[in-house]
Amino acid sequence: MTAGVALVALGVAAVSCASEQPRGGAGTSSPVTAIAPSQPAGTPDLGSPEVVAQGIDVPWGLAFLPDGTALVAERDTGRILRVAPGRAPETFYEVPGVVARGEGGLLGLAVDPAYAESGYVYAYFTAEDDNRIVRFREDTEPEVVIDGIAKAGNHNGGRIAFGPDGMLYVGTGDAGRRELSQDVSSPNGKILRLTPDGAPAPGNPEPDSPVLSLGHRNVQGLAWDRAGTLFAAEFGQNRLDEINVIEPGGNYGWPAVEGAGGADRGFIDPVLTWSTAEASPSGIAIAGDTLYVAALRGERLWTATVSEDSATDPQDFFRDDYGRLRTVEVAPDGALWLTTSNTDGRGDVRDGDDRIIRIPAR
């Protein structure tokens, strides 16, 4: 564990809608010492953010163990930290072979839904020759689940999550090679759907292929609503970032289309877009009927209402309070957890960065 990692207890700091919050308000407040309760069926109280850890080295992936403790991936060190309110973060595992260059390194994490029996944690990372996913137990060597995903200095994708069907979903990037997004034989620029062992999942559009959807530029977020609809966040190039509703076999248009306008060409249009300056969406999460989107360049948390395969009424919170936001996840107790990403070489580092923030549900 790095000397800079220090747990701070939970507390309450007033935060309002971004348009009403001055720069530096919540993000520079002192850590507090009281742990706030959270209701699993409640709604995250965006007026009560609480810093649970700070001094983390480029946090990226975030996933929860059954006991409610969080696993946090440090992109550049290859370490996975266990974080729990009330005690200092500790090293849970160090993934061997991580090559952290540019946007690559140790990226997404996922915990096996059958963790109580299997003990498996999954990690997506950039290796010497490719991006790959491994799984491991806390005391075992990693086992390769899938490899051969092209790597680059950027557009590595990296988000992984288990869906309601128990399958492993993977967001990949085009690795800076646009043509791969439309190449059905390539795993790049796709959303993949795998069995926990890494085989193409039953029911995929093509039985022998892991590809669920194609035509993506750089998928950074995956989340399901209560009806089981999959939403995905994707970085745009120059104009528009996207939230897409994912349909099996769907083609989302990259590189022919950025944003909407591809429907008459057989592509699926996004359900929500922002300018790249407002968003650069990374991790996403859904609690109730609300979609939460962590924005990097936009330095804020976006929300939207999800209903019937749509996302509407976007609103922003924490604008400029914490800097770049990388990941957002819902904890077993209903609380929303956020990670900042200011030490990744692209942010303005603030005292205490990088941080993990918890927002209790009321």
Side-chain angles (χ1 to χ4, degrees), residues 17-351:
C17 185
S19 62
E20 301 172 0
Q21 180 71 9
R23 179 178 176 85
T28 57
S29 61
S30 299
V32 288
T33 58
I35 295 174
S38 184
Q39 303 299 322
T43 300
D45 180 1
L46 297 179
S48 300
E50 310 163 333
V51 176
V52 297
Q54 61 185 24
I56 310 294
D57 188 353
V58 194
W60 213 104
L62 172 66
F64 292 94
L65 295 174
D67 65 2
T69 59
L71 299 180
V72 178
E74 290 189 320
R75 187 192 70 181
D76 291 353
T77 69
R79 291 181 304 181
I80 298 173
L81 302 177
R82 189 200 304 258
V83 177
R87 66 174 188 258
E90 58 188 13
T91 300
F92 175 84
Y93 196 86
E94 187 164 349
V95 179
V98 173
V99 177
R101 298 184 187 128
E103 295 175 0
L106 179 57
L107 304 176
L109 296 178
V111 173
D112 189 342
Y115 179 84
E117 293 77 35
S118 74
Y120 279 131
V121 174
Y122 291 70
Y124 184 118
F125 71 95
T126 310
E128 185 64 38
D129 298 317
D130 59 7
N131 287 301
R132 55 181 56 192
I133 298 172
V134 296
R135 67 180 181 182
F136 51 85
R137 298 181 180 93
E138 189 174 1
D139 57 354
T140 65
E141 292 296 313
E143 167 192 354
V144 175
V145 172
I146 185 173
D147 56 10
I149 304 168
K151 60 175 276 189
N154 54 14
H155 301 193
N156 288 296
R159 194 69 62 183
I160 59 177
F162 280 94
D165 57 2
M167 298 297 109
L168 181 65
Y169 291 73
V170 183
T172 71
D174 67 8
R177 297 165 58 189
R178 298 179 173 196
E179 70 278 5
L180 296 182
S181 295
Q182 295 293 330
D183 182 351
V184 295
S185 67
S186 169
N188 286 83
K190 312 291 191 299
I191 293 177
L192 311 179
R193 181 173 174 266
L194 309 171
T195 69
D197 296 328
N204 279 1
E206 296 295 330
D208 297 326
S209 171
V211 174
L212 179 68
S213 61
L214 70 158
H216 299 288
R217 183 173 181 267
N218 193 16
V219 176
Q220 289 273 298
L222 301 169
W224 289 262
D225 68 9
R226 63 178 106 206
T229 300
L230 174 58
F231 290 76
E234 183 167 343
F235 286 151
Q237 182 180 24
N238 299 317
R239 299 187 303 108
L240 296 173
D241 294 318
E242 303 177 4
I243 298 294
N244 289 296
V245 169
I246 302 304
E247 300 178 13
N251 189 327
Y252 290 80
W254 180 256
V257 178
E258 178 184 0
D264 59 350
R265 302 164 64 182
F267 302 130
I268 299 175
D269 284 343
V271 295
L272 189 62
T273 62
W274 298 272
S275 73
T276 54
E278 292 177 303
S280 296
S282 188
I284 64 175
I286 296 175
D289 294 324
T290 301
L291 170 72
Y292 298 89
V293 182
L296 288 164
R297 186 178 172 191
E299 298 193 352
R300 68 195 79 177
L301 179 71
W302 284 98
T303 68
T305 300
V306 292
S307 176
E308 298 180 353
D309 300 343
S310 66
T312 59
D313 190 27
Q315 300 181 45
D316 62 343
F317 297 83
F318 309 137
R319 186 188 300 178
D320 300 325
D321 289 339
Y322 297 106
R324 292 160 57 83
L325 298 179
R326 169 71 66 182
T327 295
V328 56
E329 294 285 353
V330 180
D333 66 356
L336 204 66
W337 287 48
L338 295 167
T339 71
T340 68
S341 193
N342 296 315
T343 60
D344 64 356
R346 295 185 176 181
D348 296 324
V349 180
R350 305 162 188 228
D351 185 34

